[in-house]
Amino acid sequence: MKTDPPSLRVSIARHVLSLAVGLAVGVFLHYVLFRLTLPVQPFIYVSF
Amino acid sequence: MSVIPVLRRLSSAIATRTMLLGVAVGFGGLCWLGRITAGQSHLTHFVRFTEWTSPETNYYPTVGEMMATVRARMQPGQILVIVGGNSILRGAGQPAGQVWTQRLQTELGVGYGVFNFAFDGSGITDGGAVVAEALRREYPRQVYIANAAPGQPPAPDGTGVYRFMFWEAYYKGLLIADPARAAAIEASNENLPVRNPPGEPSLQELRTREWLDQFCYFQDLWNRVTYKDLNLVWGFYMRDGLQFLRARKRYADPEPDSTTFPLDKRYNPSNLAIELANVRGCSQFAYMSFSAAGNPQMRKDASGRWPLYRPFWDQFVAGIRTAMPDELKPRTLVLLSRSSPYYIRRLSADERERDDLTYRHGVEVWKAEGYDAMDYGSDFNDDDYGDRTHLTRLGGAKLARQVADKVRAMAGALHYTRP
């Protein structure tokens, strides 16, 4: 059975886009995990 | 066209399962990359931590990156010397190129590899101690050096903002399972609201972060990006505008040379009273007694001696006993940092005697508990100090000579070197 070529191209493009969005979200989540777990207030050192 | 329909069309174009696969691959890939990163040294030309590589600017160095720095620089056959402790041993007031640990490396020679992992305000059990413990099997011939005030018991899981290092190493299985230390940590963390200064994460938050990091390695990965490529963490003192995006490695070590400061800046007359109170504070609770009415008496007893205040020292002994596993104590050198003679000579004769007694007794107590210890500064002069407590490059050079002698003696006693 032959697949309609334009439909296949659209399907591939859709999956590539989805994978790229997913990868970007995954990278962002990893950074967010790092950034959100850092202390909020700055540490200001004062010597005594 | 409004935004909502566009988003609807975009979302309809997304294949949900493929996108979720992408999320898993992206997130999991960075976890794997972080794990690889943790084993690689990115702190190029490392001499010491500066404000650009410390929590003062939101950079939290990981135990992994410090271990990788050691592995990258250690030569076969060298004895590992790790310096921890606070800003005094970090070399505050000593410019780049004239840090006391560089002098220590020169004094000790090629048989030793010296690493300065001290941080401003950190204690004996912080970063350097954790790294040395984590490397105990890889580099069994090691000496760990840190400084302390006499009679100051260390926190078993680290101090304030630096506690994250202990818990990072703990969850990554790098530390010795020591029941005595575990019990001390549990006891010391009973009153968490008091132990955590405002702005610092609670212990539960901190432990959650480090628990997650054992799987995700987000600290190692993003620290590396921040240091080498693009500063992704804004911090106080950073440049304004987009300048702050400059990679941390491009920031120079900003430490000034405190010998260039005029004496009235190093020993500011307007701070004299408070600095003398700090100097007295080192010893006034170590030697005291109570009257029959229960009032504290900070003076010599009838026999003309300063009375040792037992509860103070008992609490101290209990603290240092559990601060480290027993097997690590003999290779630990505790330095008790004396104050500048500029202030010591302004004490009364009795106060000077009490100050001296406290340091000498402090050394004895550390040694009695299995550590090695020495005090320094009694033969230093005003020029050796940049303020009450920090050493200039001149004082740093003197300290390096004294510590080198001590480290060589320890290496002999610990059978690191052949007779």
Side-chain angles (χ1 to χ4, degrees):
Chain A
M1 191 174 83
K2 278 191 173 179
T3 311
D4 179 27
S7 169
L8 178 65
R9 278 202 295 274
V10 168
S11 177
I12 289 173
R14 185 167 171 250
H15 283 288
V16 168
L17 174 71
S18 304
L19 193 66
V21 169
L23 284 170
V25 170
V27 169
F28 181 69
L29 284 179
H30 196 263
Y31 173 72
V32 164
L33 199 56
F34 164 70
R35 199 63 190 82
L36 284 185
T37 55
L38 285 179
V40 176
Q41 299 264 350
F43 167 59
I44 299 173
Y45 172 66
V46 181
S47 69
F48 297 99
Chain B
M1 186 182 269
S2 68
V3 177
I4 302 293
V6 172
L7 287 177
R8 280 203 181 120
R9 285 191 66 180
L10 273 176
S11 66
S12 67
I14 296 289
T16 309
R17 286 186 185 176
T18 311
M19 191 192 76
L20 289 176
L21 176 70
V23 172
V25 170
F27 189 86
L30 289 198
C31 296
W32 172 76
L33 206 58
R35 202 180 177 96
I36 304 283
T37 300
Q40 296 174 343
S41 170
H42 63 259
L43 299 170
T44 43
H45 312 296
F46 179 82
V47 174
R48 63 176 163 189
F49 288 108
T50 69
E51 67 186 57
W52 311 119
T53 49
S54 76
E56 287 165 272
T57 53
N58 258 343
Y59 186 95
Y60 288 75
T62 66
V63 174
E65 67 191 80
M66 287 187 264
M67 290 170 71
T69 301
V70 170
R71 289 185 187 116
R73 287 249 306 272
M74 280 293 278
Q75 301 295 316
Q78 280 187 319
I79 295 168
L80 174 62
V81 178
I82 289 184
V83 175
N86 63 23
S87 53
I88 301 173
L89 296 197
R90 192 182 67 78
Q94 298 161 23
Q98 298 184 72
V99 184
W100 83 277
T101 41
Q102 293 176 297
R103 187 64 179 259
L104 179 63
Q105 178 68 77
T106 306
E107 293 279 341
L108 287 171
V110 292
Y112 296 80
V114 179
F115 295 85
N116 188 336
F117 292 146
F119 290 92
D120 291 351
S122 75
I124 279 185
T125 49
D126 290 316
V130 176
V131 175
E133 183 174 344
L135 290 169
R136 68 194 179 280
R137 304 248 182 274
E138 229 170 307
Y139 300 98
R141 298 190 311 153
Q142 60 169 243
V143 174
Y144 170 62
I145 304 169
N147 67 323
Q152 180 188 42
D157 58 344
T159 316
V161 75
Y162 300 107
R163 295 160 85 198
F164 72 96
M165 299 178 193
F166 175 90
W167 291 104
E168 180 202 345
Y170 173 83
Y171 283 116
K172 288 177 179 162
L174 300 170
L175 301 179
I176 297 167
D178 179 20
R181 178 167 63 181
I185 289 170
E186 196 170 330
S188 71
N189 289 331
E190 272 177 356
N191 203 354
L192 284 179
V194 176
R195 277 213 58 194
N196 286 286
E200 285 183 22
S202 73
L203 182 60
Q204 199 55 49
E205 285 175 35
L206 190 149
R207 289 181 66 161
T208 304
R209 163 181 157 200
E210 300 305 337
W211 180 84
L212 284 168
D213 193 60
Q214 70 178 311
F215 308 111
C216 301
Y217 282 83
F218 48 81
Q219 297 182 119
D220 286 291
L221 180 73
W222 295 107
N223 268 11
R224 184 186 175 90
V225 173
T226 292
Y227 183 82
K228 290 195 70 138
D229 307 307
L230 186 68
N231 176 36
L232 294 170
V233 187
W234 183 87
F236 264 26
Y237 319 119
M238 309 296 299
R239 287 167 183 266
D240 290 336
L242 291 178
Q243 285 279 313
F244 89 89
L245 289 170
R246 289 200 316 170
R248 300 287 181 114
K249 71 175 181 185
R250 295 174 62 190
Y251 285 80
D253 184 338
E255 202 62 44
D257 181 352
S258 57
T259 58
T260 62
F261 298 163
L263 271 184
D264 65 347
K265 185 176 177 189
R266 286 154 67 176
Y267 303 114
N268 190 336
S270 61
N271 291 341
L272 183 63
I274 196 164
E275 291 290 33
L276 282 175
N278 284 330
V279 173
R280 290 187 182 102
C282 289
S283 63
Q284 65 184 353
F285 302 109
Y287 289 88
M288 60 181 279
S289 59
F290 281 87
S291 67
N295 297 318
Q297 300 181 125
M298 291 170 178
R299 60 169 186 252
K300 289 181 170 178
D301 60 20
S303 66
R305 290 179 180 173
W306 280 105
L308 197 75
Y309 184 51
R310 282 283 164 213
F312 174 88
W313 291 103
D314 289 347
Q315 187 188 15
F316 173 59
V317 168
I320 65 175
R321 188 166 287 164
T322 53
M324 279 187 195
D326 286 342
E327 68 177 270
L328 301 179
K329 291 174 183 173
R331 62 73 159 133
T332 301
L333 172 59
V334 179
L335 304 177
L336 298 188
S337 308
R338 288 182 185 251
S339 301
S340 168
Y342 178 89
Y343 294 105
I344 297 296
R345 65 175 171 266
R346 283 168 171 75
L347 299 175
S348 69
D350 279 354
E351 286 173 330
R352 279 199 298 276
E353 183 188 345
R354 184 182 65 187
D355 186 74
D356 183 58
L357 278 172
T358 303
Y359 279 88
R360 287 196 281 128
H361 188 68
V363 168
E364 285 171 23
V365 173
W366 279 105
K367 286 184 171 179
E369 289 301 318
Y371 301 81
D372 212 332
M374 62 180 267
D375 66 289
Y376 71 85
S378 59
D379 55 346
F380 286 21
N381 58 46
D382 293 2
D383 288 335
D384 295 327
Y385 286 84
D387 54 28
R388 176 181 56 81
T389 188
H390 298 100
L391 299 176
T392 61
R393 58 185 168 77
L394 305 173
K398 285 185 181 174
L399 177 64
R401 279 195 293 277
Q402 294 181 6
V403 170
D405 288 343
K406 186 71 176 174
V407 167
R408 277 191 289 265
M410 286 176 73
L414 293 164
H415 308 293
Y416 291 170
T417 52
R418 292 194 182 92

